[in-house]
């Protein structure tokens, strides 16, 4: 069974299948992602979030978790992250985002859409529950070669 966003494995072994990385521009923040495309995409997205939306904080940001109350959670396989959760409470529409931040978020998400594929999905866009802290690999991205083309064309190697 894949995770909620369709990624396999649905549950990763954090010690072997995930990797801790520092976020470029926010080296004080370390997050653990599924190796491969998710690591490349979500690390770059977190760096852009830090640069363009708001500074990331290590104490209330996380990605991979070994346990979760939601059986299909994308945190269980390192394909999702919660950023600055104390600023963006769960189940609150646009929690902590004013109009300027919302506009910048939409521009960031547009950049992370490639050839019609939403490479990164913001859980603020779920019908319910609203989850403005949560960002994940987009639906339909698992195995889609557009993800690799996006990485090749838009993510700097550094």
């Amino acid at each position: 069974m894949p995770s909620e966003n369709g990624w396999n494995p649905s549950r990763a072994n954090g010690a072997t299948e995930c990797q801790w990385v520092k976020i470029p521009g926010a080296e004080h923040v370390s997050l653990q992602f599924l190796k491969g495309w998710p690591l490349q995409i979500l690390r770059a997205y977190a760096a852009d979030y830090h640069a363009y939306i708001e500074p990331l904080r290590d104490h209330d940001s996380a990605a991979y978790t070994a346990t979760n109350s939601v059986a299909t959670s994308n945190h269980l396989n390192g394909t999702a992250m919660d950023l600055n959760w104390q600023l963006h409470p769960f189940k609150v529409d646009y929690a902590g985002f004013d109009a300027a931040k919302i506009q910048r978020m939409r521009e960031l998400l547009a950049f992370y859409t490639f050839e019609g594929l939403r490479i990164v999905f913001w859980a603020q866009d779920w019908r319910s529950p609203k989850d403005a802290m949560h960002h994940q690999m987009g639906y339909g991205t698992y195995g889609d070669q557009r993800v690799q083309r996006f990485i090749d064309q838009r993510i700097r190697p550094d």
Side-chain angles (χ1 to χ4, degrees), residues 84-105:
N84 297 345
W85 64 69
Q86 291 175 341
L87 298 176
H88 309 293
F90 185 48
K91 296 184 179 181
V92 177
D93 198 23
Y94 288 107
F97 287 87
D98 61 18
K101 264 190 195 175
I102 292 167
Q103 179 179 345
R104 291 193 312 271
M105 275 299 302

Side-chain angles (χ1 to χ4, degrees), residues 33 45 66-67 92 100 106 117 128-129 154:
F33 299 118
Y45 180 88
T67 61
V92 177
R106 294 298 170 199
L117 181 65
S128 180
R154 293 197 180 165

Side-chain angles (χ1 to χ4, degrees), residues 38-93:
L39 185 147
Q40 293 175 284
I41 296 290
L42 296 174
R43 175 178 50 195
Y45 180 88
D48 288 341
Y49 184 97
H50 175 78
Y52 301 111
I53 307 303
E54 65 190 9
L56 288 178
R57 303 173 334 181
D58 193 57
H59 71 276
D60 63 346
S61 295
Y64 168 78
T65 59
T67 61
N68 196 289
S69 61
V70 177
T72 58
S73 170
N74 304 310
H75 292 286
L76 294 169
N77 68 358
T79 64
M81 59 188 160
D82 291 340
L83 302 176
N84 297 345
W85 64 69
Q86 291 175 341
L87 298 176
H88 309 293
F90 185 48
K91 296 184 179 181
V92 177
D93 198 23

